[in-house]
Amino acid sequence: MLEFQSGRLTALASPRLQAAATVFVLLLQRTPILKVLVEADVRVAAGVPQILRSAVVAAVSLGACDTLSGATTFVSNPESPANATQGEGFGLVFSVIGSESAGGGAGSWTIFGPLPPGLAIPGAVEGPTNTFRLNQGSGAITGTPTESGSWDITFKAWEKAGQKGEPWNTAKLGPLPVVEIVVSASGELVFTSQPMSVSVREGKTFNVGVTTSGTPAPTFQWRRNGDPIAGATSEIFSIIAVTPDDAGDYNVVATNSGGSITSDIATLTVTSAPRITAQPTAQSVVLGASASFSVVATGSPAPTYQWRAGGLAISGATNADYTIVAVSDTDIGSYTVFVQNSEGSVTSEAVELTIQSAPPVIAAHPESQSVVPGAGATFIVRAGDGAGLSFQWVKDDAALAGETDPILNLENLRAIDEGDYSVQVSNGSDTTTSEVASLSVLASGFSRLSNLSTRTRIEPGAVLIPGFAVVGNGQVSLLARAVGPTLGSLGVVGVISDPQFRLVSGPDELFANDNWEDATDQAKLEAIRVAVGAFELNAGSTDAALAVSLDAKPYTLPTTGVSGATGVVLIELYDGGETGPDQPRLVNLSARSQVGTGADKLIPGFVIAGDVAKTLLIRAVGPTLSGFGVGGVLENPVMRLFSSSGELASNDDWGAGSRTDAIAVVAGTVGAFPIDSSSRDAALLITLNPGAYTVQVSGVDNTTGVCLVEVYEVPPAP
């Protein structure tokens, strides 16, 4: 009888009934041979148990036989090697199956022996040298073997009876099939059939079994992955409803008084539809950051993945993890993952990707400054483009009332103003505090404007007019240069071929130069160039240069192209004199020129030398020039101030800023001509640390025209 125990089927009957059940299971595993067993006209020898035939009939009645189709195939049951036991009944059936053998297999057979002693082929006629002729479509080898050993039996199938027609073995079957019959000594324990690997869907039944011969009858112990299975002690082992945990390698150890034998391994593969054990989670990140989704799923075969955004498949997103490297606004939305294998599919829960506000990012922090008493100080912060941000300056952890701009300007400083300054930058949701910048008010210190440079394009008929003023006692040594051809060798395109300039004070022309190598004092030119660190001019070039000593008063350097030459020119003015508060120095620098677009902007530069910060008034004057009779002025100049770290400040209409009154007062103090607050000229009042700076002047909406750029030194308040 059969009994169910803990979901497993166990045989609990007599050895004879166990054998019947075992054969039944094996027949279910090898359904193609059933057709041979049922259709073959086999006369089973008396020694073969009749239970074999009843098991076959039972299997057929249960629908275990598959419809056979395909190529012609030789089959035997049992397959080679066929195990038999000396003194015990044995039966082997053989046939040809497939579409070309429809109607009963081969027409006849030639079988080449010898056969094991005690076995015969019912219906066959024995010929010479262990040859047997069988005139029927299927056959059998039956009997009770009397000797142990191994015999190879070769089969040749013929298309027609009487061993006539086309021999199927060569034309249809290929090489002649051979079945080895292995006869074990009487009583020796052997497996006559081995367990077979199978693939079973989750929840279905798994059956595995063996048959043995040998006396006394053995006991059995099934194992999974080498470990004994409790209660699995019959020839057949069954699991009624398999789970993925049941997958593994199964075999059985058969034991009797003669010893133990271990079967082949039968692998159970459990297939199952995907199940999600860990759902993806929602993500909220800042723009530009990465976002990652992941899912954990089980299933056999291993499942595949397809991530979807808003229900649409994402190209290439076919792993358990999906990452967006830099999130943008277009990535916001709902995400799912579709998981599938051959057994089914499942879709994850939908999760959202949202954008969270990011704390403001400070691109440039305020820098510490040292000033003398009465001077001003400027602290600057750069955070993005400033749009949507608010600012609050802090001194020694206390908020400064009304100081809510990106630039903090302090005036007329004293020792009480020393301290640590920082700024809090907010976007309404998050706040970022800058690094601390210290303000030191020193009892003494000195700085000066040591260099002016202006790069612009000289147009036909136009004159570039740089200007400067010298203050102090005695004379200052200056190097002035108008560079064109040498710029070309440095990669600048469209340079002027032959610049020339004149040094003028009031109505008087003091000096002039066309080609720098024609200047009278070459030794002084080279000495100042080396002292101030200016680049060398190319030998034989038509650049212009002068080395002069000048008294304290204003000067201009009108610059043109020889014979109407036009192009890009660089004007440089270097203070090569002694440094110190009592030495003569440059105080005002200016350049008037035509302002173009793109590379033709007006680009003055200057250098502050010394050990303390210097306050400067910088102006870009266009509309007001028309009141002085200048035609074709730049109607709306915009000015941007740069250091090596980037843009520091900018201005379009000076009267619209927060320092209009202070700029007007300082302009009068330094002797600059007045400009109306309603004009569209640009101006900055700013304190800068020692270093190099550049001013870029262009027209709003790419307009062009004549513009005057001025840089004034602002003295400390008394």
Side-chain angles (χ1 to χ4, degrees):
M1 61 179 290
L2 300 178
E3 179 177 287
F4 292 95
Q5 293 183 346
S6 301
R8 287 163 168 75
L9 180 65
T10 306
L12 300 175
S14 66
R16 186 175 183 84
L17 288 177
Q18 289 180 2
T22 301
V23 172
F24 176 68
V25 170
L26 296 179
L27 290 172
L28 287 176
Q29 295 176 344
R30 305 183 182 186
T31 53
I33 198 63
L34 291 176
K35 189 174 195 306
V36 178
L37 289 169
V38 174
E39 294 183 352
D41 182 14
V42 179
R43 289 176 289 276
V44 181
V48 180
Q50 290 298 319
I51 196 165
L52 175 62
R53 181 180 297 277
S54 63
V56 172
V57 174
V60 172
S61 67
L62 289 174
C65 292
D66 294 333
T67 301
L68 299 176
S69 62
T72 304
T73 305
F74 171 84
V75 293
S76 70
N77 191 23
E79 299 174 349
S80 181
N83 294 306
T85 302
Q86 181 182 357
E88 296 184 9
F90 171 80
L92 178 146
V93 293
F94 57 89
S95 184
V96 173
I97 61 173
S99 59
E100 298 186 36
S101 65
S108 59
W109 296 82
T110 301
I111 299 110
F112 303 92
L115 298 176
L119 299 186
I121 303 174
V125 177
E126 185 173 0
T129 61
N130 296 310
T131 302
F132 302 87
R133 296 191 301 276
L134 180 65
N135 287 315
Q136 58 189 49
S138 303
I141 300 175
T142 64
T144 301
T146 59
E147 296 181 14
S148 62
S150 175
W151 288 264
D152 289 335
I153 313 300
T154 304
F155 297 83
K156 184 175 184 179
W158 296 85
E159 184 180 13
K160 298 179 180 180
Q163 290 73 46
K164 295 180 180 179
E166 185 177 8
W168 282 1
N169 295 95
T170 55
K172 306 290 185 182
L173 301 177
L176 298 180
V178 176
V179 175
E180 180 186 15
I181 299 177
V182 179
V183 181
S184 302
S186 178
E188 181 182 357
L189 180 60
V190 295
F191 287 107
T192 55
S193 65
Q194 295 282 353
M196 298 180 65
S197 296
V198 291
S199 179
V200 179
R201 188 170 186 178
E202 183 179 9
K204 300 298 183 180
T205 299
F206 165 56
N207 295 305
V208 65
V210 295
T211 59
T212 60
S213 65
T215 56
T219 61
F220 300 91
Q221 176 59 63
W222 285 92
R223 302 185 300 185
R224 175 180 175 273
N225 296 334
D227 297 323
I229 303 171
T233 55
S234 299
E235 289 175 295
I236 303 170
F237 173 67
S238 297
I239 303 175
I240 300 303
V242 298
T243 69
D245 291 339
D246 293 318
D249 293 332
Y250 290 79
N251 65 355
V252 65
V253 177
T255 303
N256 66 9
S257 58
S260 297
I261 56 174
T262 302
S263 74
D264 295 342
I265 288 176
T267 299
L268 169 61
T269 301
V270 179
T271 62
S272 59
R275 281 196 295 267
I276 293 177
T277 58
Q279 295 282 350
T281 57
Q283 300 291 307
S284 181
V285 299
V286 299
L287 286 174
S290 65
S292 295
F293 298 98
S294 64
V295 68
V296 178
T298 62
S300 180
T304 61
Y305 304 87
Q306 176 59 65
W307 288 91
R308 296 170 175 171
L312 301 177
I314 303 170
S315 177
T318 55
N319 295 319
D321 301 310
Y322 172 58
T323 297
I324 304 171
V325 176
V327 173
S328 67
D329 288 329
T330 59
D331 297 314
I332 299 172
S334 177
Y335 288 79
T336 58
V337 59
F338 179 71
V339 186
Q340 69 173 343
N341 65 9
S342 58
E343 300 299 316
S345 63
V346 63
T347 299
S348 73
E349 298 173 358
V351 294
E352 296 296 319
L353 172 60
T354 57
I355 301 300
Q356 62 180 232
S357 61
V361 177
I362 295 178
H365 294 265
E367 297 180 355
S368 296
Q369 287 193 340
S370 296
V371 300
V372 296
T378 300
F379 295 113
I380 301 172
V381 67
R382 284 193 291 118
D385 60 3
L389 300 178
S390 62
F391 303 86
Q392 177 59 63
W393 286 93
V394 174
K395 175 182 181 289
D396 296 332
D397 298 326
L400 296 174
E403 300 297 348
T404 56
D405 291 327
I407 299 178
L408 173 64
N409 288 291
L410 304 174
E411 299 175 359
N412 196 14
L413 295 170
R414 306 299 172 184
I416 193 174
D417 298 307
E418 289 188 323
D420 292 333
Y421 291 78
S422 61
V423 60
Q424 297 169 348
V425 185
S426 175
N427 60 10
S429 299
D430 298 282
T431 298
T432 301
T433 300
S434 73
E435 297 174 359
V436 170
S438 297
L439 174 63
S440 300
V441 180
L442 307 179
S444 62
F446 174 74
S447 59
R448 64 191 176 100
L449 291 169
S450 64
N451 166 245
L452 166 69
S453 64
T454 299
R455 198 191 86 170
T456 189
R457 173 179 291 276
I458 296 180
E459 299 293 349
V463 179
L464 169 62
I465 308 177
F468 59 94
V470 176
V471 297
N473 298 318
Q475 291 186 323
V476 64
S477 295
L478 296 178
L479 171 63
R481 306 200 302 183
V483 186
T486 297
L487 284 184
S489 66
L490 298 176
V492 179
V493 178
V495 299
I496 192 169
S497 60
D498 190 1
Q500 62 182 353
F501 59 33
R502 299 177 297 124
L503 180 61
V504 176
S505 178
D508 301 323
E509 178 180 308
L510 305 179
F511 302 96
N513 183 258
D514 178 6
N515 300 323
W516 72 278
E517 289 178 320
D518 295 337
T520 57
D521 197 343
Q522 290 292 313
K524 188 173 183 179
L525 272 178
E526 181 64 11
I528 297 178
R529 184 196 70 78
V530 172
V532 300
F535 61 86
E536 290 187 76
L537 299 179
N538 293 339
S541 74
T542 55
D543 302 300
L546 284 171
V548 294
S549 296
L550 300 177
D551 295 324
K553 56 183 174 180
Y555 299 88
T556 59
L557 280 169
T559 304
T560 59
V562 174
S563 301
T566 63
V568 176
V569 66
L570 173 67
I571 302 298
E572 298 179 300
L573 184 66
Y574 294 94
D575 182 348
E578 298 293 329
T579 62
D582 298 326
Q583 299 297 325
R585 67 186 189 279
L586 298 172
V587 291
N588 300 330
L589 307 175
S590 65
R592 195 190 83 176
S593 178
Q594 176 74 19
V595 175
T597 60
D600 295 335
K601 297 175 183 177
L602 178 58
I603 309 177
F606 58 90
V607 174
I608 299 173
D611 54 16
V612 293
K614 179 167 286 296
T615 301
L616 300 175
L617 172 63
I618 307 172
R619 305 198 304 183
V621 184
T624 300
L625 289 183
S626 60
F628 295 95
V630 178
V633 299
L634 185 63
E635 293 294 343
N636 191 2
V638 60
M639 176 174 59
R640 302 168 67 195
L641 175 65
F642 294 85
S643 70
S644 59
S645 63
E647 183 174 340
L648 299 178
S650 64
N651 182 256
D652 181 5
D653 300 331
W654 79 281
S658 61
R659 307 200 74 195
T660 303
D661 293 341
I663 290 174
V665 171
V666 168
T669 301
V670 299
F673 61 84
I675 54 178
D676 192 275
S677 61
S678 63
S679 77
R680 308 190 76 175
D681 303 298
L684 287 171
L685 180 59
I686 191 168
T687 302
L688 301 173
N689 281 327
Y693 299 89
T694 300
V695 178
Q696 287 188 6
V697 178
S698 59
V700 173
D701 297 329
N702 288 322
T703 54
T704 62
V706 176
C707 184
L708 172 67
V709 176
E710 301 174 300
V711 180
Y712 292 94
E713 177 187 281
V714 179

